[in-house]
Amino acid sequence: MFKSLVLGALLGSGLATAVAAQDYPTKDIDLVVPFAPGGSVDVTSRLLAESANTFLDGVEVVVSNRAGGGGVVGQSYVARGKPDGYTVLAMTSSVVTNPQLKGAPYAITDFKPVAAYNLDPEVIAVPANSEFKTIDDFVAATKEAPLNMVVAGIGTSHHMAGLALTSAAGLEFNYVPAKGFGEQLQAVVGGHADGAFWPMGEAMVHAEAGSVRLLAVASDVRDPKFPDVPTFEEAGLNVPMWATFRGWAVPADTPDEDVAFLSDLLKKVFEDETYKQKMVDGGFDPIYRDAAEFQTIISSYSDLVVPIIEDNGLGQ
């Protein structure tokens, strides 16, 4: 009888665990975007949530903007959040650099990757009426004097892209941080800066509209929508590829079964043709990389940018 009681208790415990796992999620999931509304992370997060909610029953993924400190405010909020699967970070490459550059009160190990959904290559953009008609014009100008380039913030992947060009090609820049993409666009179109380092996803629409000109893209291939725009490598800039990554992450102690659920949810979203078309229309390349593959992307980016930060004496 004792054995039966023990067996029953074990089975009951296992059943309770299984039921608990199946119960997730039982309330709305907070998708924290650590930037202001309107930028690429916000736009893609809302497209993801819109699709994800069609696969959820009785609960929703709700996007909340917690901007400040170049991402530090929202990233810190998630790092110290309850690891129960209900607090999710819209993770970008700034998570890697912010601890070094801004003394952010978290480490990359405070997060557990869920999945990546977008890789967005860097572009060099200038005003449509700029004297720089080609990347060669742009490079020649940097040899005369540092150009003033708009970036989303010091320590962002866009700032790091400029520093990579300094290390690899000897180009010199002055950096003009601006809040939100709207403010950055106004600075470039208004002629208050020589150009900008932007992700293709944000720059594409404005390049197609004719308000800015793209000079080069940091991808391994040319973008089919801009076949005349050379890659960084083709332009002799010695940077084969530089892309912002975007994905989901959760507090490090979040249960693996919750991470698996969220990862599977992003896979379903990726397979949604309506979502993929909206991403493409917005200038974003939809991808899906599971948790392990996303971890590889994060680690590779860290290996690339850490020496740049150290070489430039930017770390705190």
Side-chain angles (χ1 to χ4, degrees):
M1 179 163 181
F2 177 74
K3 290 183 179 180
S4 297
L5 289 172
V6 171
L7 180 59
L10 290 173
L11 288 174
S13 175
L15 181 59
T17 301
V19 170
Q22 291 171 359
D23 282 346
Y24 173 81
T26 59
K27 61 180 181 179
D28 289 348
I29 297 167
D30 183 17
L31 176 56
V32 177
V33 173
F35 304 103
S40 294
V41 182
D42 179 68
V43 170
T44 55
S45 291
R46 293 181 187 281
L47 290 177
L48 279 169
E50 180 183 18
S51 176
N53 290 340
T54 66
F55 299 103
L56 296 173
D57 185 17
V59 300
E60 292 186 339
V61 173
V62 179
V63 176
S64 61
N65 296 88
R66 293 181 178 271
V72 172
V73 171
Q75 292 157 359
S76 300
Y77 175 83
V78 175
R80 62 174 180 262
K82 188 175 181 180
D84 57 3
Y86 293 101
T87 303
V88 178
L89 175 67
M91 177 185 268
T92 68
S93 44
S94 62
V95 172
V96 175
T97 55
N98 277 344
Q100 290 178 279
L101 294 168
K102 301 183 178 183
Y106 60 77
I108 190 65
T109 51
D110 290 329
F111 301 95
K112 182 180 290 186
V114 171
Y117 66 83
N118 176 241
L119 290 175
D120 202 353
E122 199 76 9
V123 298
I124 297 173
V126 297
N129 61 355
S130 171
E131 62 182 313
F132 310 133
K133 305 301 180 185
T134 68
I135 188 62
D136 291 337
D137 296 337
F138 180 87
V139 170
T142 68
K143 304 298 184 181
E144 299 294 328
L147 297 181
N148 297 319
M149 300 294 288
V150 172
V151 292
I154 301 302
T156 62
S157 64
H158 315 297
H159 175 223
M160 294 289 109
L163 294 178
L165 289 174
T166 298
S167 298
L171 310 188
E172 297 291 341
F173 307 104
N174 297 318
Y175 297 98
V176 183
K179 297 179 180 179
F181 186 74
E183 185 176 318
Q184 297 169 50
L185 182 65
Q186 185 178 21
V188 174
V189 175
H192 306 300
D194 295 306
F197 292 116
W198 283 334
M200 174 64 89
E202 288 183 328
M204 179 179 292
V205 173
H206 304 284
E208 290 176 328
S211 57
V212 301
R213 179 185 303 123
L214 305 186
L215 298 183
V217 56
S219 179
D220 53 349
V221 295
R222 295 192 182 199
D223 190 290
K225 290 188 176 182
F226 301 94
D228 296 330
V229 177
T231 67
F232 277 25
E233 192 77 357
E234 289 174 329
L237 301 180
N238 303 320
V239 175
M241 187 173 182
W242 191 279
T244 299
F245 64 72
R246 300 189 179 100
W248 282 6
V250 290
D253 293 331
T254 301
D256 289 341
E257 58 266 28
D258 294 351
V259 174
F261 178 93
L262 292 169
S263 185
D264 289 344
L265 178 61
L266 280 186
K267 186 176 182 181
K268 292 176 182 177
V269 170
F270 172 69
E271 293 168 349
D272 177 6
E273 293 300 327
T274 299
Y275 158 79
K276 286 199 285 190
Q277 189 59 54
K278 288 182 178 180
M279 285 283 284
V280 171
D281 290 344
F284 306 104
D285 182 25
I287 66 166
Y288 173 78
R289 302 290 187 272
D290 65 20
E293 292 169 325
F294 189 19
Q295 181 62 69
T296 298
I297 292 172
I298 296 168
S299 299
S300 297
Y301 180 76
S302 179
D303 291 343
L304 193 62
V305 301
V306 166
I308 292 174
I309 294 172
E310 293 175 347
D311 290 347
N312 286 275
L314 296 175
Q316 291 193 359

